[in-house]
Amino acid sequence: MSSPSVLVLVHAFPFGAAMWRRQAEAFPGWRVVMPALPGFDGHSRLVEPTIDAYARDLLATLDRLGIERAVFGGLSMGGYTIFGVLRQAPHRVLGLILADTRTSVDSPDRRAARERSIALARASGPSAIAGEMIPNILGRTTRESRPDVVAEVRALIEAQPAEAIVDGLRAMMTRPDSQPVLDRITVPTTIIVGDEDTVTPPSDARFMHGRVRGSTLVTIPAAGHMANLEAPEAFNGAIRAFLPRCLSDTRTT
Ligand code: MLT
């Protein structure tokens, strides 16, 4: 039932599969699967949204698609979810792409900010969340010189339901510490970060790179947190250079 050439891309918060539109056709020879996490893109919500429940839901989606093993790539919340996959089903992971993400838990200040965002999403909806997030998730270069990307990101966020945004915030603020997972990773791993990412900055990427044996680190110039949208050619190039390693290396975590 498994295919060695499946790449599963897991979206960030508060996006859906469309954030990967510049990646969907970029990897010849690979089947690219872009599942929506619960609540996003009209996918049904969970009663108790947590990152590990998102990971369970993702694995169930792959079961339904007949995909047993795959290379998993996730950006930010997508990365948090992949750490959940590694906790639950490491044997299903052929390789890892950890983009603009981190392993640490939220600080008390960050949790308080998430509560404020939950109130904002409930009171004023996705467009208010887009207004709050865009100055943080897009790099300075994109904000100053790429109005098309700014508008696209706004539209992608505004397309998501407020309930999914609330659930995502709850899931992220209760996520477990994923640092212990790093030491158990033995599959090929690449870590990608935009050099203007201030949400999960290059220092987080360097930390993961230092902890995952044999990993590579790619820093993308003039890109912020949404590196796949801001600098798709560099982002896709890093993945194209990495994927062959996952086919020649059959180690498991
Ligand atoms: C994301 O990009 O998925 C989120 O902004 C990450 C976070 O807020 O921790």
Side-chain angles (χ1 to χ4, degrees):
M1 122 171 174
S2 68
S3 164
S5 55
V6 176
L7 170 61
V8 177
L9 294 177
V10 189
H11 63 81
F13 169 87
F15 296 87
M19 71 163 260
W20 298 118
R21 62 170 65 121
R22 293 183 182 79
Q23 282 70 49
E25 308 286 336
F27 312 114
W30 286 78
R31 176 182 174 196
V32 182
V33 176
M34 300 161 291
L37 294 174
F40 295 93
D41 287 352
H43 188 33
S44 52
R45 294 171 70 195
L46 296 174
V47 178
E48 286 189 33
T50 64
I51 287 296
D52 280 339
Y54 281 7
R56 254 191 310 282
D57 184 272
L58 173 63
L59 288 166
T61 300
L62 299 183
D63 288 344
R64 282 195 294 279
L65 294 172
I67 297 166
E68 189 180 336
R69 303 186 78 200
V71 176
F72 286 74
L75 194 139
S76 200
M77 183 176 74
Y80 306 162
T81 303
I82 290 173
F83 293 132
V85 168
L86 288 168
R87 277 188 285 277
Q88 293 170 38
H91 55 281
R92 300 184 70 164
V93 180
L94 284 171
L96 283 168
I97 300 159
L98 301 173
D100 298 283
T101 193
R102 59 153 50 115
T103 53
S104 53
V105 298
D106 276 1
S107 66
D109 283 354
R110 188 81 190 105
R111 289 170 67 101
R114 303 248 198 233
E115 292 287 8
R116 289 194 293 278
S117 297
I118 287 170
L120 182 67
R122 284 191 172 130
S124 308
S127 63
I129 293 295
E132 179 187 57
M133 289 186 70
I134 283 172
N136 299 321
I137 60 175
L138 294 179
R140 184 179 40 78
T141 305
T142 301
R143 281 183 281 116
E144 289 176 1
S145 60
R146 301 284 310 279
D148 54 324
V149 176
V150 176
E152 179 183 4
V153 165
R154 176 176 292 282
L156 289 170
I157 295 175
E158 287 178 351
Q160 297 300 332
E163 300 77 27
I165 294 176
V166 169
D167 290 352
L169 289 161
R170 286 253 172 267
M172 289 192 294
M173 69 190 283
T174 56
R175 72 185 187 275
D177 180 4
S178 292
Q179 290 185 29
V181 171
L182 292 181
D183 300 325
R184 301 200 295 270
I185 295 173
T186 59
V187 291
T189 299
T190 193
I191 295 157
I192 303 175
V193 65
D195 73 347
E196 296 178 7
D197 185 348
T198 56
V199 178
T200 52
S203 55
D204 286 327
R206 285 193 296 271
F207 173 79
M208 294 188 291
H209 176 49
R211 289 279 289 268
V212 180
R213 281 183 299 278
S215 64
T216 52
L217 173 62
V218 180
T219 303
I220 299 188
H225 187 59
M226 302 305 297
N228 72 307
L229 286 163
E230 296 178 63
E233 285 178 16
F235 190 91
N236 294 352
I239 293 178
R240 270 195 292 272
F242 168 70
L243 286 173
R245 281 183 57 200
C246 304
L247 295 179
S248 57
D249 189 318
T250 54
R251 290 172 298 167
T252 55
T253 52

